[in-house]
């Protein structure tokens, strides 16, 4: 058994699923389940493809970092696909391609191969947005996505012309040997912008409003949780190992991300639509995660990705289901949503409070730890930015929660079936458990990403 | 020199994308941008007086070969470009079907 099966099996299954459309949804569930089991059994290390050794051939790297990312991606796709099996069953083929693309994206150690997986996952993402029935927004996303990936490829090709390799480990070796960062600013900036489009970083994220702001029970959690987590993981790997921002580029990126945090939360604050509030909150969170990677706080950034993906799955599922049944996502139209759905309401509240970073929830443990790490790095301004953003976040989330809990004269009837409720309860319990018992979180450290270890020790 | 032409094409495509609101013209701009990028990629592998990297009776050890890797890369990039263009055209068709226009400015949809 090899890690290549994590990419090859979903791809093969996607083609088979076209032939047996009736069973496509079940094939998807079986394949994702197979991936999860495979991930539990595979050993760490490089997988050499085609018998060409590094740095000539394409290699895949499975370490603790990529294993965490892959488990999260596959489990979330399994859950979201299962919950939407009836309504969006005909998207099973596309979700299989998504699984292959995102798994490859996290695993690959080759920069051009990374571009190919970026395009595969991008094309499946455009197709998933067609479920929103907003073709102009989908087209807008396609255009920005293609420009982003083209810029990424431009950066990769410039690096190839400079160092003559596409293997990430080999390239880091050669960059370290050349010790001339000024020449790398342009390709790194192109690659960062390219990834920034998919990672929803400001100002490259104008597609998000048309996609997440109009999402449904499938596309919402897929974009806010699965894609966001996968891209955050790979962006983290690039920032930590390849980009290693310094000088003027570090200042530019830090300012962009700090603006992203504040602007995301301010836009969420000024919005009256629940989906938009969650969407802008996602933008702010994506910027915080990138900022943590820029400052070398890898492990807490990883935990933040996981906690954020789980919380956003609950938040988007609850709101999108309510939007489907009520026909509006305006907070004023959803007043009293939780008065008839107490369990769903509690899970939603716990998830929202975890994103805010309130005590007893995992979001608090993560926030306190990454703020401590930033304080150790003397990043006082960044701490101030994050704290100001947290206050704004607190206000708009509490305001939304109060309105969703207290009903007025109108009664809202939204029915969440048992499988939805089970998912909500499990995630809420997980957020609560790791918030009160955080010892397991401290077992891992910043060394989970082994690329630099491979570069230094061979 | 050819690299300047490639970069000009890339920037021209980008300019077209950001100044046009017509879906078809945007797809054409996207293709011009990709064309520029593809020419840039292929130019990376160029070697003056280089021959195709195939060992024959006349070209063997000691010959100067062009770098074959960018040629392989550009082939993949072209295929991906065709895929995204086809997808873009399919979306253009559904935009026209829904709104009876190709102009994004006339589409009643928040972007």
């Amino acid at each position: 058994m090899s890690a290549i099966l994590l990419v090859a099996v979903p791809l093969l299954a996607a083609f088979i699923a076209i032939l047996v459309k009736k069973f496509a949804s079940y094939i998807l569930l079986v394949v994702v389940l197979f991936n999860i089991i495979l991930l539990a059994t595979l050993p760490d290390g490089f997988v050499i493809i085609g018998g060409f050794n590094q740095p000539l051939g394409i290699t895949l790297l499975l370490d603790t970092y990529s294993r965490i990312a892959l488990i999260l991606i596959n489990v979330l796709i399994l859950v979201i696909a299962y919950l939407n099996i009836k309504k969006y069953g005909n998207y099973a083929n596309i979700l299989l391609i998504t699984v292959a693309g995102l798994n490859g994206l996290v695993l690959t150690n080759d920069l051009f191969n990374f571009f190919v997986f970026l395009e595969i996952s991008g094309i499946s993402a455009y197709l998933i947005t067609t479920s929103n029935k907003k073709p102009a927004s989908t087209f807008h996303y396609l255009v920005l996505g293609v420009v982003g990936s083209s810029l990424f490829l431009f950066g990769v090709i410039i690096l190839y012309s400079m160092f003559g390799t596409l293997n990430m480990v080999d390239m880091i070796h050669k960059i370290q040997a050349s010790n001339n960062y000024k020449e790398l600013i342009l390709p790194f900036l192109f690659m960062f912008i390219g990834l920034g489009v998919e990672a929803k970083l400001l100002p490259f994220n104008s597609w998000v409003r048309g996609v997440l702001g109009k999402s449904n029970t499938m596309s919402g959690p897929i974009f806010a949780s699965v894609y966001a987590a996968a891209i955050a993981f790979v962006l983290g790997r690039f920032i930590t190992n390849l980009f290693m921002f310094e000088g003027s580029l570090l200042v530019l990126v830090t300012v962009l991300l700090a603006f992203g945090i504040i602007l995301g939360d301010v836009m969420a604050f000024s919005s009256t639509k629940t989906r938009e509030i969650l969407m802008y909150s996602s933008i702010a969170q994506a910027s915080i995660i990138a900022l943590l990677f820029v400052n070398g706080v890898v492990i807490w950034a990883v935990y933040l990705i996981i906690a954020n993906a789980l919380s956003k799955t609950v938040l988007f599922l609850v709101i999108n289901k309510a939007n489907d049944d009520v026909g509006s996502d305006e907070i004023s139209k959803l007043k009293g949503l939780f008065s008839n759905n107490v369990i769903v309401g509690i899970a939603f509240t716990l998830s929202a409070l975890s994103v805010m970073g309130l005590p007893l929830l995992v979001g608090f443990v993560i926030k306190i730890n990454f703020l401590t790490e930033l304080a150790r790095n003397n990043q006082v301004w960044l701490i101030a930015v994050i704290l100001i953003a947290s206050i704004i976040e607190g206000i708009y989330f509490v305001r939304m929660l109060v309105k969703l809990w207290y009903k007025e004269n109108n009664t809202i009837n939204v029915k969440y079936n048992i499988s939805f409720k089970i998912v909500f309860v499990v995630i809420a319990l997980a957020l609560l458990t790791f918030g009160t018992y955080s010892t397991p979180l401290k077992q891992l450290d910043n060394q989970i990403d082994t690329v630099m270890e491979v570069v230094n020790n061979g | 020199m050819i690299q300047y032409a490639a970069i000009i094409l890339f920037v021209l495509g980008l300019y077209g994308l950001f100044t046009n609101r017509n879906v078809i013209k945007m797809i054409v701009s996207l293709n011009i941008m990709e064309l520029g990028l593809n020419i840039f990629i292929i130019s990376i592998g160029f070697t003056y007086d280089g021959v195709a990297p195939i060992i024959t009776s006349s070209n063997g050890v000691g010959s100067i070969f062009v770098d074959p890797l960018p040629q392989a890369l550009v082939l993949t990039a072209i295929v991906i470009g065709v895929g995204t263009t086809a997808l873009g055209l399919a979306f253009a068709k559904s935009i026209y079907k829904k709104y009876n226009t190709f102009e994004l400015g006339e589409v009643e949809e928040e972007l």
Side-chain angles (χ1 to χ4, degrees):
Chain A
M1 290 283 189
S2 151
I4 188 67
L5 291 176
L6 296 168
V7 181
V9 172
L11 264 185
L12 179 68
F15 290 110
I16 294 171
I18 295 171
L19 303 174
V20 278
K21 269 192 174 172
K22 253 187 181 176
F23 304 104
S25 305
Y26 302 103
I27 293 175
L28 169 66
L29 297 181
V30 170
V31 166
V32 182
L33 210 58
F34 165 79
N35 279 355
I36 296 166
I37 295 165
L38 190 63
L39 275 165
T41 55
L42 283 174
D44 278 2
F46 279 100
V47 177
I48 294 165
I49 297 173
F52 296 99
N53 273 327
Q54 293 201 61
L56 292 178
I58 293 171
T59 51
L60 307 179
L61 173 59
L62 184 64
D63 57 2
T64 314
Y65 185 86
S66 46
R67 195 187 297 273
I68 293 172
L70 291 168
I71 290 175
L72 183 70
I73 292 166
N74 286 279
V75 168
L76 284 177
I77 289 190
L78 180 70
V79 170
I80 296 164
Y82 176 73
L83 293 179
N84 290 289
I85 200 163
K86 277 188 188 152
K87 200 167 180 193
Y88 297 105
N90 50 349
Y91 282 85
N93 303 352
I94 299 163
L95 285 177
L96 277 165
I97 303 278
T98 306
V99 175
L102 294 180
N103 285 353
L105 209 58
V106 174
L107 279 170
T108 189
N109 187 37
D110 181 279
L111 290 175
F112 189 79
N113 196 228
F114 182 90
F115 161 75
V116 174
F117 283 124
L118 193 66
E119 285 288 9
I120 292 174
S121 49
I123 287 173
S124 49
Y126 312 142
L127 288 167
I128 290 170
T129 61
T130 56
S131 64
N132 297 346
K133 306 261 186 285
K134 301 280 175 194
S137 301
T138 300
F139 183 76
H140 184 62
Y141 178 32
L142 176 129
V143 168
L144 281 173
V146 172
V147 171
S149 52
S150 296
L151 281 175
F152 181 84
L153 182 60
F154 215 136
V156 169
I157 294 302
I158 296 172
L159 283 182
Y160 173 73
S161 70
M162 289 165 78
F163 300 104
T165 183
L166 288 167
N167 183 292
M168 210 202 299
V169 170
D170 193 35
M171 187 165 287
I172 296 167
H173 254 302
K174 291 184 173 169
I175 288 174
Q176 282 177 348
S178 77
N179 199 20
N180 186 0
Y181 198 83
K182 270 189 182 167
E183 285 182 359
L184 300 168
I185 289 178
L186 187 70
F188 282 177
L189 192 64
F190 281 171
M191 290 167 79
F192 181 72
I193 294 172
L195 289 172
V197 173
E198 293 294 340
K200 301 189 291 220
L201 300 180
L202 274 169
F204 323 113
N205 59 359
S206 64
W207 60 270
V208 182
R209 194 163 178 228
V211 171
L212 266 183
K214 307 276 179 277
S215 57
N216 52 51
T217 49
M218 181 191 66
S219 65
I222 285 276
F223 278 100
S225 309
V226 181
Y227 270 89
I231 299 292
F233 269 106
V234 294
L235 184 69
R237 183 155 254 175
F238 273 89
I239 290 174
T240 320
N241 302 304
L242 188 66
F243 298 158
M244 290 186 279
F245 295 121
E246 55 181 74
S248 52
L249 193 56
L250 176 65
V251 176
L252 177 73
V253 168
T254 308
V255 170
L256 269 181
L257 294 175
F259 263 112
I261 298 169
I262 294 286
L263 224 61
D265 278 328
V266 168
M267 282 155 96
F269 180 82
S270 59
S271 179
T272 56
K273 292 180 176 175
T274 44
R275 279 186 297 188
E276 276 190 13
I277 291 174
L278 299 181
M279 173 194 90
Y280 288 125
S281 158
S282 298
I283 290 172
Q285 293 289 326
S287 297
I288 293 179
I289 290 163
L291 205 56
L292 292 181
F293 279 118
V294 170
N295 285 285
V297 191
V298 176
I299 188 66
W300 294 107
V302 167
Y303 287 143
L304 185 58
I305 296 171
I306 299 169
N308 205 32
L310 295 176
S311 308
K312 287 284 153 60
T313 304
V314 174
L315 298 177
F316 269 96
L317 278 172
V318 171
I319 291 300
N320 281 320
K321 182 75 177 69
N323 177 61
D324 280 357
D325 290 6
V326 177
S328 170
D329 64 342
E330 286 281 351
I331 300 181
S332 55
K333 297 269 168 64
L334 296 177
K335 272 183 184 172
L337 170 68
F338 299 142
S339 54
N340 296 331
N341 295 295
V342 179
I343 295 173
V344 175
I346 292 171
F348 186 92
T349 309
L350 288 175
S351 303
L353 296 181
S354 175
V355 174
M356 277 162 58
L358 243 70
L360 291 181
L361 291 156
V362 74
F364 174 75
V365 179
I366 296 167
K367 198 167 255 183
I368 202 84
N369 277 289
F370 74 65
L371 287 176
T372 313
E373 293 274 333
L374 287 176
R376 252 184 230 141
N377 294 355
N378 291 324
Q379 300 288 355
V380 185
W381 284 107
L382 293 183
I383 295 172
V385 166
I386 292 173
L387 288 178
I388 291 169
S390 299
I391 294 168
I392 305 170
E393 199 173 42
I395 296 169
Y396 67 70
F397 265 131
V398 169
R399 194 178 58 187
M400 182 169 80
L401 285 172
V402 168
K403 286 189 178 166
L404 293 178
W405 271 104
Y406 290 102
K407 69 170 177 181
E408 287 180 353
N409 299 331
N410 58 327
T411 36
I412 293 175
N413 253 332
V414 181
K415 289 251 181 297
Y416 294 93
N417 63 32
I418 189 74
S419 43
F420 270 78
K421 284 181 185 166
I422 290 170
V423 170
F424 298 157
V425 169
V426 169
I427 292 179
L429 280 177
L431 297 174
L432 205 58
T433 310
F434 287 106
T436 46
Y437 178 62
S438 60
T439 318
L441 300 181
K442 287 170 183 151
Q443 283 173 359
L444 296 173
D445 59 17
N446 286 350
Q447 307 307 317
I448 54 166
D449 187 359
T450 56
V451 171
M452 279 324 264
E453 200 183 312
V454 177
V455 171
N456 294 329
N457 304 328
Chain B
M1 191 62 199
I2 188 86
Q3 286 172 349
Y4 288 112
I7 291 167
I8 289 169
L9 271 179
F10 188 86
V11 176
L12 215 63
L14 263 185
Y15 174 78
L17 268 182
F18 292 121
T19 52
N20 276 305
R21 302 290 288 160
N22 182 297
V23 176
I24 302 294
K25 285 179 185 171
M26 286 172 85
I27 294 172
V28 173
S29 303
L30 215 57
N31 274 273
I32 293 172
M33 191 188 78
E34 280 172 356
L35 191 69
L37 183 59
N38 290 343
I39 293 173
F40 184 81
I41 298 173
I42 212 80
S43 71
I44 295 294
F46 177 75
T47 311
Y48 202 73
D49 279 343
V51 292
I54 303 164
I55 297 173
T56 60
S57 53
S58 54
N59 298 324
V61 183
S63 302
I64 303 168
F65 295 116
V66 294
D67 186 356
L69 193 71
Q71 299 178 9
L73 301 186
V74 90
L75 205 65
T76 316
I78 290 169
V79 172
I80 291 171
V82 171
T84 45
T85 306
L87 202 58
L89 286 169
F91 293 151
K93 193 185 163 212
S94 46
I95 289 173
Y96 191 80
K97 213 170 156 188
K98 191 167 182 184
Y99 301 107
N100 225 11
T101 178
F102 282 122
E103 294 291 334
L104 283 181
E106 293 169 18
V107 168
E108 293 161 3
E109 193 177 302
E110 270 183 289
L111 293 176

